[in-house]
Amino acid sequence: MHGAYHGEYKVPGGKLVVVDLDTEDGVLRGVRVAGDFFLEPDEAILEIDRALEGAPVDTDAAGLAARIDAALPPGAQMFGLTSEGVGIAVRRALAHATDWTDYDWQLIHMPPQSPALHMALDEVLTAEVAAGRRPPTLRVWEWGAPAVVIGSFQSLRNEVDPAAAERHGIQVVRRISGGGAMFIEPGNTITYSLSVPDALVQGLSFADSYAYLDDWVLGALGDMGIKAWYQPLNDIATDAGKIAGAAQKRMIGTGSSGGSGGGSGGAVLHHVTMAYDIDADRMTEVLRIGREKLSDKGTKSAKKRVDPLRRQTGLPREAVIERMIASFRGRYGLAEGSLTEDELTRAKELAETKFDTAEWTARVP
């Protein structure tokens, strides 16, 4: 039987951890840890339960992990499981976090759109999820033109060579999330956004939420023969190099969550740009990628830093996207969806009044 609190967490690259517990007088009681992980010796599972029993309810995931580590018998082995993963599952239980399968996911995959409209769609759709008027949404982008997308807090002049951008017909737009600049070529880039209720990431640290929201992508890449992993904070990497970068923006809802799965009515925008193929020479002309930034990635040139999916999969870009969508649908369910007339109208207005303006693009000069 479940206790008053039930939490689940899939350890990135590992297995599912499930925790059921009660609380009494501000401490954890009746803790039971389960899952499809491997653990030796067998009785170590009881030591984990005992270690969590009596812990103050405000103990963070790291503190819970420390209690587990101190209690494990010498030589104990975890496979697909980590002490921190158990701690996160406890925090998610206490926060009444939701799970992927609690929602009816919707897919939006439109014809190519302008860079500014893509920026606006991210803001509008995530605000709609925050307000409870839209279900959690996976949006796969098609680019109508080449672009450089800079992070919300980046300096325009420090990141982009304006003469080179103009020479190559590349528009510069600024997104609402932080992070670094992305070089976009329509046929060479795979981009997607997740607009999700904040209840889905309750109990996760900001850093942990990145890997959690992209675990399905690592699975999809694995099915295509690519062993990929999360490289904190926000890169997806393989032995051959970085293949993707993620960014997030948190939004507070203007109303209740409208029965969309619980939570405070807020939402998280999580978007990822993946390199399918790339013109590295053009990228380094347009982006002012400094030697220091490249050196901290362990490389000496931008060409080596971003490794395209085309070579690693041997598949057409469209096939990679189809397999990614199929992987998401197989895990969580995914219905075909579309923008409402109101959403599209608001996004077009926002693109014109904000994302297409020099004021926004150069808000950090």
Side-chain angles (χ1 to χ4, degrees):
M1 293 180 59
H2 286 183
Y5 300 89
H6 176 82
E8 300 184 3
Y9 177 64
K10 184 181 180 300
V11 176
K15 298 293 186 176
L16 182 69
V17 182
V18 182
V19 175
D20 292 286
L21 58 89
D22 290 290
T23 63
E24 182 182 346
D25 298 328
V27 299
L28 307 185
R29 294 297 184 200
V31 181
R32 293 293 179 268
V33 176
D36 59 355
F37 49 79
F38 302 91
L39 179 63
E40 295 290 347
D42 194 74
E43 59 270 18
I45 189 68
L46 300 178
E47 297 301 328
I48 291 175
D49 292 344
R50 293 190 191 104
L52 297 172
E53 193 76 16
V57 295
D58 59 356
T59 308
D60 62 15
L64 296 169
R67 291 175 70 105
I68 293 169
D69 289 337
L72 284 173
Q77 297 290 318
M78 294 179 173
F79 302 96
L81 173 70
T82 63
S83 299
E84 184 180 12
V86 177
I88 290 171
V90 171
R91 295 310 316 166
R92 285 176 59 75
L94 293 168
H96 291 293
T98 55
D99 186 63
W100 294 86
T101 53
D102 292 334
Y103 300 102
D104 295 323
W105 291 88
Q106 188 173 111
L107 170 69
I108 293 180
H109 191 186
M110 302 165 60
Q113 307 295 327
S114 71
L117 187 61
H118 277 307
M119 303 302 109
L121 285 168
D122 265 356
E123 182 168 328
V124 169
L125 295 183
T126 307
E128 288 297 283
V129 172
R133 292 187 292 263
R134 160 167 283 282
T137 300
L138 168 64
R139 184 170 74 90
V140 179
W141 304 24
E142 298 294 346
W143 291 90
V148 167
V149 182
I150 60 175
S152 182
F153 311 108
Q154 286 189 296
S155 162
L156 177 60
R157 70 165 67 99
N158 287 345
E159 295 298 326
V160 182
D161 183 324
E166 183 176 0
R167 185 167 64 250
H168 291 296
I170 293 173
Q171 181 184 4
V172 182
V173 291
R174 185 185 295 274
R175 62 180 183 267
I176 59 173
S177 63
M182 307 304 294
F183 180 73
I184 306 298
E185 297 173 305
N188 292 339
T189 306
I190 297 173
T191 306
Y192 65 86
S193 300
L194 286 169
S195 296
V196 307
D198 64 0
L200 184 62
V201 297
Q202 286 299 306
L204 296 174
S205 69
F206 190 78
D208 287 333
S209 71
Y210 273 80
Y212 181 72
L213 291 175
D214 278 334
D215 188 66
W216 67 277
V217 179
L218 302 187
L221 291 171
D223 292 341
M224 287 181 267
I226 300 176
K227 182 181 179 182
W229 60 87
Y230 232 82
Q231 190 165 293
L233 171 65
N234 61 334
D235 287 349
I236 298 175
T238 70
D239 286 331
K242 173 183 171 179
I243 58 172
Q248 286 185 8
K249 175 68 176 178
R250 308 293 172 109
M251 292 188 182
I252 298 174
T254 55
S256 72
S257 57
S260 62
S264 64
V268 178
L269 167 65
H270 178 94
H271 44 200
V272 174
T273 292
M274 311 178 78
Y276 173 74
D277 201 351
I278 199 161
D279 185 332
D281 288 332
R282 181 176 299 176
M283 181 181 74
T284 53
E285 281 185 51
V286 176
L287 296 183
R288 302 186 191 275
I289 301 177
R291 293 179 183 175
E292 183 177 350
K293 184 170 184 178
L294 289 173
S295 66
D296 74 8
K297 304 293 183 181
T299 59
K300 294 182 179 179
S301 75
K303 286 187 179 182
K304 292 181 180 178
R305 185 178 161 212
V306 181
D307 186 78
L309 284 169
R310 178 182 60 79
R311 181 172 62 80
Q312 294 196 53
T313 64
L315 295 170
R317 174 181 176 274
E318 293 73 17
V320 174
I321 292 173
E322 287 173 5
R323 292 195 183 194
M324 289 173 59
I325 291 172
S327 180
F328 191 102
R329 182 176 287 119
R331 283 188 176 211
Y332 312 128
L334 186 64
E336 297 289 335
S338 60
L339 298 178
T340 67
E341 186 175 339
D342 179 63
E343 288 168 343
L344 183 57
T345 298
R346 287 166 54 203
K348 287 180 176 178
E349 290 175 353
L350 195 59
E352 181 180 349
T353 59
K354 179 177 179 178
F355 293 104
D356 249 337
T357 67
E359 289 80 9
W360 169 257
T361 304
R363 78 182 192 112
V364 183

